[in-house]
Amino acid sequence: YHAVEEDLDRDSSATRESVTTSVADTIRHDFRNARAAARATWLSLGFIQRILAPASVGQPRGGASINTKASRERTTPLRRNTQNTQAAMANFSKTTPGSGGDLDSEFHSLTEYLMTTLKDQELTVLMSQMALACKATSRACAKAGIANLFGMAGDQNSSGDDQKKLDVLSNDIFVNALLKSGSCCVLVSEENEEPIIVPEKDAGRFCVCFDPLDGSSNIDCNVSTGTIFAVYEKKTPGKLGSVADVLRVGSDIVAAGYCMYGAATELVLCFKGQSVQRFALDPSLGEFVHTHSNVTFPSGGGKKIYSCNEGNFPYWDQPIKDAVTEFKAKKYALRYVGSMVSDVHRTILYGGVFVYPADSKSPKGKLRVLYEGFPMALLVECAGGKASTGMFNGSVQRMLDLEPTHVHERCPVILGSPRDVDFILSKYN
């Protein structure tokens, strides 16, 4: 956070400086309290363990047994309550990911997961910095109303969309965090027209493409937003990166994920060839805690849900119109937030399909390939789903097989359970 604060342009607006300072102060305050909170929790757990110790039931301080009928009657409810509480604690331990079976200080964090899973110091540092930037952005979203972060910044991003104040701040947070990691050689952001080539002295071997705040058009009405990212490993010779390192097929991605800022802050990620993992941010600890392993689509396709902006129905091609019409006839429910992170997150957990096809207004589609289509496609496939472009450039294609020619290139998106994606694609036969 010091790095974010120091590297911001000192000539930026007073609002932006005050917001960044406020966010940094709040986070510092949280970390100062973390040790005290942990200590209090430890003492409380010790107290609970002493209360629930079996020797304390029906036995006085002197160690002599209590054998009277009245004493047995008095201790029976306590014994029953103790047994119920112990059973509840055992059940809690079983439902906690990676728990050793005791309700103690053991829990599994993102940091632990990265160090034990990756065995790659540089990638571990990169993902830790990415998580740090997600925490800072989560705090900024939570304080947006208080810090006067709602509204427009007055500029446009690389895609021609109007930038909001939080777009600018979140982009600065991610760029600074990744530059300081020493693990990156190329950064591609939706908010920057050109890729950022990291100076050779600070460069690492990874390239990161990211949308710092997806769904920011919803931020003023307090609807969930998120960050989407994809990580490539550099392939060109030399330490200095180039655009060629990111203009590659999606199957070359080594890691992908998204962070959703809603009622809770959740980080969902996967590494190539591995399963999808979920982490939830514990604000009191300032740490992402591992909550779910091996996330997959529900068997059989899950709930009957289709997610799309049906206001564009008149502009779609006929196969997409036919598919959506049949979804309605089959009593599918329509669910659409307008934030890709939220809609895809629900689709992975509940099932169904997310559709943002090309249309007569946007023949190449609306969503960007490198930092929206590709990372979500990898996550969906690793969770047992399918991701396709539908009819695009004359053929129906697997999304991860696309080879972009520009860092802000767009594509149609159809992703979700195999049941529903295959049904839509069958309309093109």
mmCIF file with all atom_site columns, all heavy atoms in Angstrom, residues 185-188 195-198 204 206-207 232-248 407:
data_model
loop_
_atom_site.group_PDB
_atom_site.id
_atom_site.type_symbol
_atom_site.label_atom_id
_atom_site.label_alt_id
_atom_site.label_comp_id
_atom_site.label_asym_id
_atom_site.label_entity_id
_atom_site.label_seq_id
_atom_site.pdbx_PDB_ins_code
_atom_site.Cartn_x
_atom_site.Cartn_y
_atom_site.Cartn_z
_atom_site.occupancy
_atom_site.B_iso_or_equiv
_atom_site.pdbx_formal_charge
_atom_site.auth_seq_id
_atom_site.auth_comp_id
_atom_site.auth_asym_id
_atom_site.auth_atom_id
_atom_site.pdbx_PDB_model_num
ATOM 1   N N   . CYS A 1 185 ? 7.025  -9.078  -17.091 1.00 0.00 ? 185 CYS A N   1
ATOM 2   C CA  . CYS A 1 185 ? 7.739  -8.393  -18.167 1.00 0.00 ? 185 CYS A CA  1
ATOM 3   C C   . CYS A 1 185 ? 6.783  -7.616  -19.065 1.00 0.00 ? 185 CYS A C   1
ATOM 4   O O   . CYS A 1 185 ? 7.194  -6.661  -19.722 1.00 0.00 ? 185 CYS A O   1
ATOM 5   C CB  . CYS A 1 185 ? 8.579  -9.374  -18.981 1.00 0.00 ? 185 CYS A CB  1
ATOM 6   S SG  . CYS A 1 185 ? 7.635  -10.712 -19.736 1.00 0.00 ? 185 CYS A SG  1
ATOM 7   N N   . VAL A 1 186 ? 5.499  -8.017  -19.116 1.00 0.00 ? 186 VAL A N   1
ATOM 8   C CA  . VAL A 1 186 ? 4.496  -7.326  -19.926 1.00 0.00 ? 186 VAL A CA  1
ATOM 9   C C   . VAL A 1 186 ? 3.192  -7.270  -19.145 1.00 0.00 ? 186 VAL A C   1
ATOM 10  O O   . VAL A 1 186 ? 2.775  -8.283  -18.563 1.00 0.00 ? 186 VAL A O   1
ATOM 11  C CB  . VAL A 1 186 ? 4.256  -8.031  -21.281 1.00 0.00 ? 186 VAL A CB  1
ATOM 12  C CG1 . VAL A 1 186 ? 3.203  -7.280  -22.093 1.00 0.00 ? 186 VAL A CG1 1
ATOM 13  C CG2 . VAL A 1 186 ? 5.538  -8.160  -22.075 1.00 0.00 ? 186 VAL A CG2 1
ATOM 14  N N   . LEU A 1 187 ? 2.550  -6.099  -19.138 1.00 0.00 ? 187 LEU A N   1
ATOM 15  C CA  . LEU A 1 187 ? 1.235  -5.937  -18.521 1.00 0.00 ? 187 LEU A CA  1
ATOM 16  C C   . LEU A 1 187 ? 0.265  -5.400  -19.565 1.00 0.00 ? 187 LEU A C   1
ATOM 17  O O   . LEU A 1 187 ? 0.576  -4.430  -20.254 1.00 0.00 ? 187 LEU A O   1
ATOM 18  C CB  . LEU A 1 187 ? 1.290  -4.960  -17.336 1.00 0.00 ? 187 LEU A CB  1
ATOM 19  C CG  . LEU A 1 187 ? 2.260  -5.282  -16.200 1.00 0.00 ? 187 LEU A CG  1
ATOM 20  C CD1 . LEU A 1 187 ? 2.201  -4.187  -15.138 1.00 0.00 ? 187 LEU A CD1 1
ATOM 21  C CD2 . LEU A 1 187 ? 1.951  -6.640  -15.584 1.00 0.00 ? 187 LEU A CD2 1
ATOM 22  N N   . VAL A 1 188 ? -0.894 -6.026  -19.675 1.00 0.00 ? 188 VAL A N   1
ATOM 23  C CA  . VAL A 1 188 ? -1.948 -5.559  -20.573 1.00 0.00 ? 188 VAL A CA  1
ATOM 24  C C   . VAL A 1 188 ? -3.185 -5.297  -19.728 1.00 0.00 ? 188 VAL A C   1
ATOM 25  O O   . VAL A 1 188 ? -3.687 -6.215  -19.069 1.00 0.00 ? 188 VAL A O   1
ATOM 26  C CB  . VAL A 1 188 ? -2.265 -6.598  -21.667 1.00 0.00 ? 188 VAL A CB  1
ATOM 27  C CG1 . VAL A 1 188 ? -3.456 -6.129  -22.506 1.00 0.00 ? 188 VAL A CG1 1
ATOM 28  C CG2 . VAL A 1 188 ? -1.053 -6.828  -22.556 1.00 0.00 ? 188 VAL A CG2 1
ATOM 29  N N   . PRO A 1 195 ? 0.276  -1.907  -24.339 1.00 0.00 ? 195 PRO A N   1
ATOM 30  C CA  . PRO A 1 195 ? 0.848  -2.759  -23.286 1.00 0.00 ? 195 PRO A CA  1
ATOM 31  C C   . PRO A 1 195 ? 1.960  -2.034  -22.535 1.00 0.00 ? 195 PRO A C   1
ATOM 32  O O   . PRO A 1 195 ? 2.638  -1.162  -23.087 1.00 0.00 ? 195 PRO A O   1
ATOM 33  C CB  . PRO A 1 195 ? 1.413  -3.953  -24.067 1.00 0.00 ? 195 PRO A CB  1
ATOM 34  C CG  . PRO A 1 195 ? 0.757  -3.907  -25.396 1.00 0.00 ? 195 PRO A CG  1
ATOM 35  C CD  . PRO A 1 195 ? 0.452  -2.479  -25.685 1.00 0.00 ? 195 PRO A CD  1
ATOM 36  N N   . ILE A 1 196 ? 2.127  -2.381  -21.280 1.00 0.00 ? 196 ILE A N   1
ATOM 37  C CA  . ILE A 1 196 ? 3.212  -1.827  -20.469 1.00 0.00 ? 196 ILE A CA  1
ATOM 38  C C   . ILE A 1 196 ? 4.377  -2.816  -20.514 1.00 0.00 ? 196 ILE A C   1
ATOM 39  O O   . ILE A 1 196 ? 4.246  -3.960  -20.056 1.00 0.00 ? 196 ILE A O   1
ATOM 40  C CB  . ILE A 1 196 ? 2.760  -1.600  -19.020 1.00 0.00 ? 196 ILE A CB  1
ATOM 41  C CG1 . ILE A 1 196 ? 1.597  -0.605  -18.974 1.00 0.00 ? 196 ILE A CG1 1
ATOM 42  C CG2 . ILE A 1 196 ? 3.921  -1.118  -18.153 1.00 0.00 ? 196 ILE A CG2 1
ATOM 43  C CD1 . ILE A 1 196 ? 0.970  -0.464  -17.600 1.00 0.00 ? 196 ILE A CD1 1
ATOM 44  N N   . ILE A 1 197 ? 5.481  -2.379  -21.080 1.00 0.00 ? 197 ILE A N   1
ATOM 45  C CA  . ILE A 1 197 ? 6.683  -3.217  -21.136 1.00 0.00 ? 197 ILE A CA  1
ATOM 46  C C   . ILE A 1 197 ? 7.547  -2.866  -19.922 1.00 0.00 ? 197 ILE A C   1
ATOM 47  O O   . ILE A 1 197 ? 8.003  -1.731  -19.777 1.00 0.00 ? 197 ILE A O   1
ATOM 48  C CB  . ILE A 1 197 ? 7.472  -2.993  -22.433 1.00 0.00 ? 197 ILE A CB  1
ATOM 49  C CG1 . ILE A 1 197 ? 6.556  -3.203  -23.651 1.00 0.00 ? 197 ILE A CG1 1
ATOM 50  C CG2 . ILE A 1 197 ? 8.674  -3.934  -22.483 1.00 0.00 ? 197 ILE A CG2 1
ATOM 51  C CD1 . ILE A 1 197 ? 5.956  -4.585  -23.767 1.00 0.00 ? 197 ILE A CD1 1
ATOM 52  N N   . VAL A 1 198 ? 7.752  -3.825  -19.047 1.00 0.00 ? 198 VAL A N   1
ATOM 53  C CA  . VAL A 1 198 ? 8.497  -3.582  -17.811 1.00 0.00 ? 198 VAL A CA  1
ATOM 54  C C   . VAL A 1 198 ? 9.974  -3.404  -18.130 1.00 0.00 ? 198 VAL A C   1
ATOM 55  O O   . VAL A 1 198 ? 10.545 -4.178  -18.918 1.00 0.00 ? 198 VAL A O   1
ATOM 56  C CB  . VAL A 1 198 ? 8.298  -4.754  -16.831 1.00 0.00 ? 198 VAL A CB  1
ATOM 57  C CG1 . VAL A 1 198 ? 9.048  -4.507  -15.526 1.00 0.00 ? 198 VAL A CG1 1
ATOM 58  C CG2 . VAL A 1 198 ? 6.804  -4.973  -16.558 1.00 0.00 ? 198 VAL A CG2 1
ATOM 59  N N   . GLY A 1 204 ? 10.498 -9.796  -14.937 1.00 0.00 ? 204 GLY A N   1
ATOM 60  C CA  . GLY A 1 204 ? 10.503 -11.222 -14.629 1.00 0.00 ? 204 GLY A CA  1
ATOM 61  C C   . GLY A 1 204 ? 10.140 -12.010 -15.871 1.00 0.00 ? 204 GLY A C   1
ATOM 62  O O   . GLY A 1 204 ? 10.283 -11.524 -16.992 1.00 0.00 ? 204 GLY A O   1
ATOM 63  N N   . PHE A 1 206 ? 7.000  -13.467 -16.517 1.00 0.00 ? 206 PHE A N   1
ATOM 64  C CA  . PHE A 1 206 ? 5.569  -13.652 -16.731 1.00 0.00 ? 206 PHE A CA  1
ATOM 65  C C   . PHE A 1 206 ? 4.912  -12.411 -17.328 1.00 0.00 ? 206 PHE A C   1
ATOM 66  O O   . PHE A 1 206 ? 5.380  -11.287 -17.137 1.00 0.00 ? 206 PHE A O   1
ATOM 67  C CB  . PHE A 1 206 ? 4.866  -14.016 -15.421 1.00 0.00 ? 206 PHE A CB  1
ATOM 68  C CG  . PHE A 1 206 ? 5.251  -15.364 -14.891 1.00 0.00 ? 206 PHE A CG  1
ATOM 69  C CD1 . PHE A 1 206 ? 6.131  -15.477 -13.828 1.00 0.00 ? 206 PHE A CD1 1
ATOM 70  C CD2 . PHE A 1 206 ? 4.760  -16.526 -15.474 1.00 0.00 ? 206 PHE A CD2 1
ATOM 71  C CE1 . PHE A 1 206 ? 6.502  -16.718 -13.336 1.00 0.00 ? 206 PHE A CE1 1
ATOM 72  C CE2 . PHE A 1 206 ? 5.120  -17.771 -15.004 1.00 0.00 ? 206 PHE A CE2 1
ATOM 73  C CZ  . PHE A 1 206 ? 6.000  -17.869 -13.927 1.00 0.00 ? 206 PHE A CZ  1
ATOM 74  N N   . CYS A 1 207 ? 3.829  -12.632 -18.053 1.00 0.00 ? 207 CYS A N   1
ATOM 75  C CA  . CYS A 1 207 ? 3.010  -11.566 -18.646 1.00 0.00 ? 207 CYS A CA  1
ATOM 76  C C   . CYS A 1 207 ? 1.607  -11.670 -18.053 1.00 0.00 ? 207 CYS A C   1
ATOM 77  O O   . CYS A 1 207 ? 1.073  -12.771 -17.937 1.00 0.00 ? 207 CYS A O   1
ATOM 78  C CB  . CYS A 1 207 ? 2.931  -11.708 -20.160 1.00 0.00 ? 207 CYS A CB  1
ATOM 79  S SG  . CYS A 1 207 ? 4.516  -11.985 -20.973 1.00 0.00 ? 207 CYS A SG  1
ATOM 80  N N   . TYR A 1 232 ? 0.564  -15.439 -18.607 1.00 0.00 ? 232 TYR A N   1
ATOM 81  C CA  . TYR A 1 232 ? 1.360  -16.191 -19.584 1.00 0.00 ? 232 TYR A CA  1
ATOM 82  C C   . TYR A 1 232 ? 2.815  -16.236 -19.122 1.00 0.00 ? 232 TYR A C   1
ATOM 83  O O   . TYR A 1 232 ? 3.272  -15.345 -18.393 1.00 0.00 ? 232 TYR A O   1
ATOM 84  C CB  . TYR A 1 232 ? 1.344  -15.513 -20.952 1.00 0.00 ? 232 TYR A CB  1
ATOM 85  C CG  . TYR A 1 232 ? 0.057  -15.596 -21.727 1.00 0.00 ? 232 TYR A CG  1
ATOM 86  C CD1 . TYR A 1 232 ? -0.897 -14.596 -21.624 1.00 0.00 ? 232 TYR A CD1 1
ATOM 87  C CD2 . TYR A 1 232 ? -0.181 -16.647 -22.608 1.00 0.00 ? 232 TYR A CD2 1
ATOM 88  C CE1 . TYR A 1 232 ? -2.071 -14.642 -22.362 1.00 0.00 ? 232 TYR A CE1 1
ATOM 89  C CE2 . TYR A 1 232 ? -1.347 -16.709 -23.354 1.00 0.00 ? 232 TYR A CE2 1
ATOM 90  C CZ  . TYR A 1 232 ? -2.289 -15.707 -23.228 1.00 0.00 ? 232 TYR A CZ  1
ATOM 91  O OH  . TYR A 1 232 ? -3.444 -15.759 -23.957 1.00 0.00 ? 232 TYR A OH  1
ATOM 92  N N   . GLU A 1 233 ? 3.540  -17.242 -19.596 1.00 0.00 ? 233 GLU A N   1
ATOM 93  C CA  . GLU A 1 233 ? 4.994  -17.254 -19.390 1.00 0.00 ? 233 GLU A CA  1
ATOM 94  C C   . GLU A 1 233 ? 5.666  -16.751 -20.661 1.00 0.00 ? 233 GLU A C   1
ATOM 95  O O   . GLU A 1 233 ? 5.280  -17.128 -21.772 1.00 0.00 ? 233 GLU A O   1
ATOM 96  C CB  . GLU A 1 233 ? 5.482  -18.661 -19.050 1.00 0.00 ? 233 GLU A CB  1
ATOM 97  C CG  . GLU A 1 233 ? 6.949  -18.681 -18.635 1.00 0.00 ? 233 GLU A CG  1
ATOM 98  C CD  . GLU A 1 233 ? 7.357  -19.983 -17.957 1.00 0.00 ? 233 GLU A CD  1
ATOM 99  O OE1 . GLU A 1 233 ? 6.524  -20.917 -17.915 1.00 0.00 ? 233 GLU A OE1 1
ATOM 100 O OE2 . GLU A 1 233 ? 8.492  -20.053 -17.464 1.00 0.00 ? 233 GLU A OE2 1
ATOM 101 N N   . LYS A 1 234 ? 6.658  -15.896 -20.476 1.00 0.00 ? 234 LYS A N   1
ATOM 102 C CA  . LYS A 1 234 ? 7.369  -15.282 -21.605 1.00 0.00 ? 234 LYS A CA  1
ATOM 103 C C   . LYS A 1 234 ? 7.977  -16.359 -22.511 1.00 0.00 ? 234 LYS A C   1
ATOM 104 O O   . LYS A 1 234 ? 8.510  -17.360 -22.042 1.00 0.00 ? 234 LYS A O   1
ATOM 105 C CB  . LYS A 1 234 ? 8.464  -14.364 -21.056 1.00 0.00 ? 234 LYS A CB  1
ATOM 106 C CG  . LYS A 1 234 ? 9.212  -13.557 -22.085 1.00 0.00 ? 234 LYS A CG  1
ATOM 107 C CD  . LYS A 1 234 ? 10.213 -12.645 -21.373 1.00 0.00 ? 234 LYS A CD  1
ATOM 108 C CE  . LYS A 1 234 ? 11.006 -11.847 -22.387 1.00 0.00 ? 234 LYS A CE  1
ATOM 109 N NZ  . LYS A 1 234 ? 11.835 -12.704 -23.237 1.00 0.00 ? 234 LYS A NZ  1
ATOM 110 N N   . LYS A 1 235 ? 7.892  -16.122 -23.833 1.00 0.00 ? 235 LYS A N   1
ATOM 111 C CA  . LYS A 1 235 ? 8.442  -17.106 -24.762 1.00 0.00 ? 235 LYS A CA  1
ATOM 112 C C   . LYS A 1 235 ? 9.532  -16.528 -25.659 1.00 0.00 ? 235 LYS A C   1
ATOM 113 O O   . LYS A 1 235 ? 10.324 -17.271 -26.237 1.00 0.00 ? 235 LYS A O   1
ATOM 114 C CB  . LYS A 1 235 ? 7.332  -17.678 -25.648 1.00 0.00 ? 235 LYS A CB  1
ATOM 115 C CG  . LYS A 1 235 ? 6.735  -16.687 -26.637 1.00 0.00 ? 235 LYS A CG  1
ATOM 116 C CD  . LYS A 1 235 ? 5.813  -17.375 -27.624 1.00 0.00 ? 235 LYS A CD  1
ATOM 117 C CE  . LYS A 1 235 ? 5.339  -16.399 -28.709 1.00 0.00 ? 235 LYS A CE  1
ATOM 118 N NZ  . LYS A 1 235 ? 4.484  -17.066 -29.708 1.00 0.00 ? 235 LYS A NZ  1
ATOM 119 N N   . THR A 1 236 ? 9.584  -15.186 -25.824 1.00 0.00 ? 236 THR A N   1
ATOM 120 C CA  . THR A 1 236 ? 10.590 -14.584 -26.702 1.00 0.00 ? 236 THR A CA  1
ATOM 121 C C   . THR A 1 236 ? 11.938 -14.542 -25.995 1.00 0.00 ? 236 THR A C   1
ATOM 122 O O   . THR A 1 236 ? 12.005 -14.478 -24.766 1.00 0.00 ? 236 THR A O   1
ATOM 123 C CB  . THR A 1 236 ? 10.167 -13.156 -27.094 1.00 0.00 ? 236 THR A CB  1
ATOM 124 O OG1 . THR A 1 236 ? 9.976  -12.372 -25.907 1.00 0.00 ? 236 THR A OG1 1
ATOM 125 C CG2 . THR A 1 236 ? 8.874  -13.167 -27.887 1.00 0.00 ? 236 THR A CG2 1
ATOM 126 N N   . PRO A 1 237 ? 13.051 -14.563 -26.750 1.00 0.00 ? 237 PRO A N   1
ATOM 127 C CA  . PRO A 1 237 ? 14.375 -14.539 -26.118 1.00 0.00 ? 237 PRO A CA  1
ATOM 128 C C   . PRO A 1 237 ? 14.667 -13.182 -25.480 1.00 0.00 ? 237 PRO A C   1
ATOM 129 O O   . PRO A 1 237 ? 14.068 -12.167 -25.832 1.00 0.00 ? 237 PRO A O   1
ATOM 130 C CB  . PRO A 1 237 ? 15.328 -14.824 -27.287 1.00 0.00 ? 237 PRO A CB  1
ATOM 131 C CG  . PRO A 1 237 ? 14.571 -14.400 -28.510 1.00 0.00 ? 237 PRO A CG  1
ATOM 132 C CD  . PRO A 1 237 ? 13.136 -14.669 -28.221 1.00 0.00 ? 237 PRO A CD  1
ATOM 133 N N   . GLY A 1 238 ? 15.616 -13.184 -24.535 1.00 0.00 ? 238 GLY A N   1
ATOM 134 C CA  . GLY A 1 238 ? 15.979 -11.945 -23.855 1.00 0.00 ? 238 GLY A CA  1
ATOM 135 C C   . GLY A 1 238 ? 15.081 -11.702 -22.656 1.00 0.00 ? 238 GLY A C   1
ATOM 136 O O   . GLY A 1 238 ? 14.022 -12.322 -22.496 1.00 0.00 ? 238 GLY A O   1
ATOM 137 N N   . LYS A 1 239 ? 15.495 -10.768 -21.818 1.00 0.00 ? 239 LYS A N   1
ATOM 138 C CA  . LYS A 1 239 ? 14.736 -10.498 -20.598 1.00 0.00 ? 239 LYS A CA  1
ATOM 139 C C   . LYS A 1 239 ? 13.609 -9.503  -20.837 1.00 0.00 ? 239 LYS A C   1
ATOM 140 O O   . LYS A 1 239 ? 12.612 -9.492  -20.114 1.00 0.00 ? 239 LYS A O   1
ATOM 141 C CB  . LYS A 1 239 ? 15.676 -9.966  -19.506 1.00 0.00 ? 239 LYS A CB  1
ATOM 142 C CG  . LYS A 1 239 ? 15.058 -9.993  -18.116 1.00 0.00 ? 239 LYS A CG  1
ATOM 143 C CD  . LYS A 1 239 ? 16.078 -9.765  -17.028 1.00 0.00 ? 239 LYS A CD  1
ATOM 144 C CE  . LYS A 1 239 ? 15.418 -9.916  -15.643 1.00 0.00 ? 239 LYS A CE  1
ATOM 145 N NZ  . LYS A 1 239 ? 16.367 -9.659  -14.555 1.00 0.00 ? 239 LYS A NZ  1
ATOM 146 N N   . LEU A 1 240 ? 13.749 -8.646  -21.829 1.00 0.00 ? 240 LEU A N   1
ATOM 147 C CA  . LEU A 1 240 ? 12.733 -7.644  -22.117 1.00 0.00 ? 240 LEU A CA  1
ATOM 148 C C   . LEU A 1 240 ? 11.557 -8.294  -22.837 1.00 0.00 ? 240 LEU A C   1
ATOM 149 O O   . LEU A 1 240 ? 11.734 -8.996  -23.833 1.00 0.00 ? 240 LEU A O   1
ATOM 150 C CB  . LEU A 1 240 ? 13.327 -6.524  -22.965 1.00 0.00 ? 240 LEU A CB  1
ATOM 151 C CG  . LEU A 1 240 ? 12.531 -5.214  -23.029 1.00 0.00 ? 240 LEU A CG  1
ATOM 152 C CD1 . LEU A 1 240 ? 12.473 -4.566  -21.652 1.00 0.00 ? 240 LEU A CD1 1
ATOM 153 C CD2 . LEU A 1 240 ? 13.154 -4.260  -24.035 1.00 0.00 ? 240 LEU A CD2 1
ATOM 154 N N   . GLY A 1 241 ? 10.346 -8.057  -22.335 1.00 0.00 ? 241 GLY A N   1
ATOM 155 C CA  . GLY A 1 241 ? 9.159  -8.652  -22.930 1.00 0.00 ? 241 GLY A CA  1
ATOM 156 C C   . GLY A 1 241 ? 8.706  -7.909  -24.177 1.00 0.00 ? 241 GLY A C   1
ATOM 157 O O   . GLY A 1 241 ? 9.181  -6.814  -24.485 1.00 0.00 ? 241 GLY A O   1
ATOM 158 N N   . SER A 1 242 ? 7.755  -8.488  -24.889 1.00 0.00 ? 242 SER A N   1
ATOM 159 C CA  . SER A 1 242 ? 7.202  -7.863  -26.090 1.00 0.00 ? 242 SER A CA  1
ATOM 160 C C   . SER A 1 242 ? 5.734  -8.254  -26.223 1.00 0.00 ? 242 SER A C   1
ATOM 161 O O   . SER A 1 242 ? 5.246  -9.155  -25.539 1.00 0.00 ? 242 SER A O   1
ATOM 162 C CB  . SER A 1 242 ? 7.980  -8.288  -27.340 1.00 0.00 ? 242 SER A CB  1
ATOM 163 O OG  . SER A 1 242 ? 7.701  -9.638  -27.659 1.00 0.00 ? 242 SER A OG  1
ATOM 164 N N   . VAL A 1 243 ? 5.039  -7.593  -27.140 1.00 0.00 ? 243 VAL A N   1
ATOM 165 C CA  . VAL A 1 243 ? 3.618  -7.882  -27.358 1.00 0.00 ? 243 VAL A CA  1
ATOM 166 C C   . VAL A 1 243 ? 3.422  -9.320  -27.824 1.00 0.00 ? 243 VAL A C   1
ATOM 167 O O   . VAL A 1 243 ? 2.395  -9.949  -27.535 1.00 0.00 ? 243 VAL A O   1
ATOM 168 C CB  . VAL A 1 243 ? 3.044  -6.893  -28.392 1.00 0.00 ? 243 VAL A CB  1
ATOM 169 C CG1 . VAL A 1 243 ? 1.566  -7.188  -28.649 1.00 0.00 ? 243 VAL A CG1 1
ATOM 170 C CG2 . VAL A 1 243 ? 3.202  -5.458  -27.920 1.00 0.00 ? 243 VAL A CG2 1
ATOM 171 N N   . ALA A 1 244 ? 4.409  -9.870  -28.528 1.00 0.00 ? 244 ALA A N   1
ATOM 172 C CA  . ALA A 1 244 ? 4.292  -11.246 -29.023 1.00 0.00 ? 244 ALA A CA  1
ATOM 173 C C   . ALA A 1 244 ? 4.141  -12.248 -27.886 1.00 0.00 ? 244 ALA A C   1
ATOM 174 O O   . ALA A 1 244 ? 3.620  -13.352 -28.100 1.00 0.00 ? 244 ALA A O   1
ATOM 175 C CB  . ALA A 1 244 ? 5.517  -11.603 -29.865 1.00 0.00 ? 244 ALA A CB  1
ATOM 176 N N   . ASP A 1 245 ? 4.566  -11.877 -26.676 1.00 0.00 ? 245 ASP A N   1
ATOM 177 C CA  . ASP A 1 245 ? 4.464  -12.783 -25.535 1.00 0.00 ? 245 ASP A CA  1
ATOM 178 C C   . ASP A 1 245 ? 3.026  -12.976 -25.062 1.00 0.00 ? 245 ASP A C   1
ATOM 179 O O   . ASP A 1 245 ? 2.735  -13.930 -24.330 1.00 0.00 ? 245 ASP A O   1
ATOM 180 C CB  . ASP A 1 245 ? 5.317  -12.269 -24.374 1.00 0.00 ? 245 ASP A CB  1
ATOM 181 C CG  . ASP A 1 245 ? 6.810  -12.399 -24.654 1.00 0.00 ? 245 ASP A CG  1
ATOM 182 O OD1 . ASP A 1 245 ? 7.234  -13.490 -25.084 1.00 0.00 ? 245 ASP A OD1 1
ATOM 183 O OD2 . ASP A 1 245 ? 7.543  -11.411 -24.471 1.00 0.00 ? 245 ASP A OD2 1
ATOM 184 N N   . VAL A 1 246 ? 2.100  -12.076 -25.454 1.00 0.00 ? 246 VAL A N   1
ATOM 185 C CA  . VAL A 1 246 ? 0.706  -12.212 -25.030 1.00 0.00 ? 246 VAL A CA  1
ATOM 186 C C   . VAL A 1 246 ? -0.244 -12.504 -26.187 1.00 0.00 ? 246 VAL A C   1
ATOM 187 O O   . VAL A 1 246 ? -1.366 -12.954 -25.955 1.00 0.00 ? 246 VAL A O   1
ATOM 188 C CB  . VAL A 1 246 ? 0.225  -10.950 -24.275 1.00 0.00 ? 246 VAL A CB  1
ATOM 189 C CG1 . VAL A 1 246 ? 0.990  -10.778 -22.979 1.00 0.00 ? 246 VAL A CG1 1
ATOM 190 C CG2 . VAL A 1 246 ? 0.339  -9.710  -25.129 1.00 0.00 ? 246 VAL A CG2 1
ATOM 191 N N   . LEU A 1 247 ? 0.185  -12.253 -27.429 1.00 0.00 ? 247 LEU A N   1
ATOM 192 C CA  . LEU A 1 247 ? -0.675 -12.539 -28.583 1.00 0.00 ? 247 LEU A CA  1
ATOM 193 C C   . LEU A 1 247 ? -0.524 -14.006 -28.963 1.00 0.00 ? 247 LEU A C   1
ATOM 194 O O   . LEU A 1 247 ? 0.080  -14.364 -29.970 1.00 0.00 ? 247 LEU A O   1
ATOM 195 C CB  . LEU A 1 247 ? -0.328 -11.610 -29.748 1.00 0.00 ? 247 LEU A CB  1
ATOM 196 C CG  . LEU A 1 247 ? -0.595 -10.121 -29.501 1.00 0.00 ? 247 LEU A CG  1
ATOM 197 C CD1 . LEU A 1 247 ? -0.225 -9.300  -30.728 1.00 0.00 ? 247 LEU A CD1 1
ATOM 198 C CD2 . LEU A 1 247 ? -2.056 -9.887  -29.110 1.00 0.00 ? 247 LEU A CD2 1
ATOM 199 N N   . ARG A 1 248 ? -1.099 -14.874 -28.119 1.00 0.00 ? 248 ARG A N   1
ATOM 200 C CA  . ARG A 1 248 ? -0.967 -16.317 -28.270 1.00 0.00 ? 248 ARG A CA  1
ATOM 201 C C   . ARG A 1 248 ? -2.313 -16.980 -27.981 1.00 0.00 ? 248 ARG A C   1
ATOM 202 O O   . ARG A 1 248 ? -3.238 -16.346 -27.459 1.00 0.00 ? 248 ARG A O   1
ATOM 203 C CB  . ARG A 1 248 ? 0.080  -16.855 -27.292 1.00 0.00 ? 248 ARG A CB  1
ATOM 204 C CG  . ARG A 1 248 ? 1.455  -16.265 -27.521 1.00 0.00 ? 248 ARG A CG  1
ATOM 205 C CD  . ARG A 1 248 ? 2.278  -16.223 -26.255 1.00 0.00 ? 248 ARG A CD  1
ATOM 206 N NE  . ARG A 1 248 ? 2.553  -17.536 -25.696 1.00 0.00 ? 248 ARG A NE  1
ATOM 207 C CZ  . ARG A 1 248 ? 3.222  -17.714 -24.538 1.00 0.00 ? 248 ARG A CZ  1
ATOM 208 N NH1 . ARG A 1 248 ? 3.658  -16.673 -23.859 1.00 0.00 ? 248 ARG A NH1 1
ATOM 209 N NH2 . ARG A 1 248 ? 3.437  -18.923 -24.085 1.00 0.00 ? 248 ARG A NH2 1
ATOM 210 N N   . VAL A 1 407 ? -4.056 -6.575  -28.720 1.00 0.00 ? 407 VAL A N   1
ATOM 211 C CA  . VAL A 1 407 ? -4.205 -6.798  -27.280 1.00 0.00 ? 407 VAL A CA  1
ATOM 212 C C   . VAL A 1 407 ? -5.625 -6.523  -26.791 1.00 0.00 ? 407 VAL A C   1
ATOM 213 O O   . VAL A 1 407 ? -6.034 -7.051  -25.755 1.00 0.00 ? 407 VAL A O   1
ATOM 214 C CB  . VAL A 1 407 ? -3.196 -5.949  -26.475 1.00 0.00 ? 407 VAL A CB  1
ATOM 215 C CG1 . VAL A 1 407 ? -1.778 -6.438  -26.702 1.00 0.00 ? 407 VAL A CG1 1
ATOM 216 C CG2 . VAL A 1 407 ? -3.338 -4.471  -26.784 1.00 0.00 ? 407 VAL A CG2 1
#
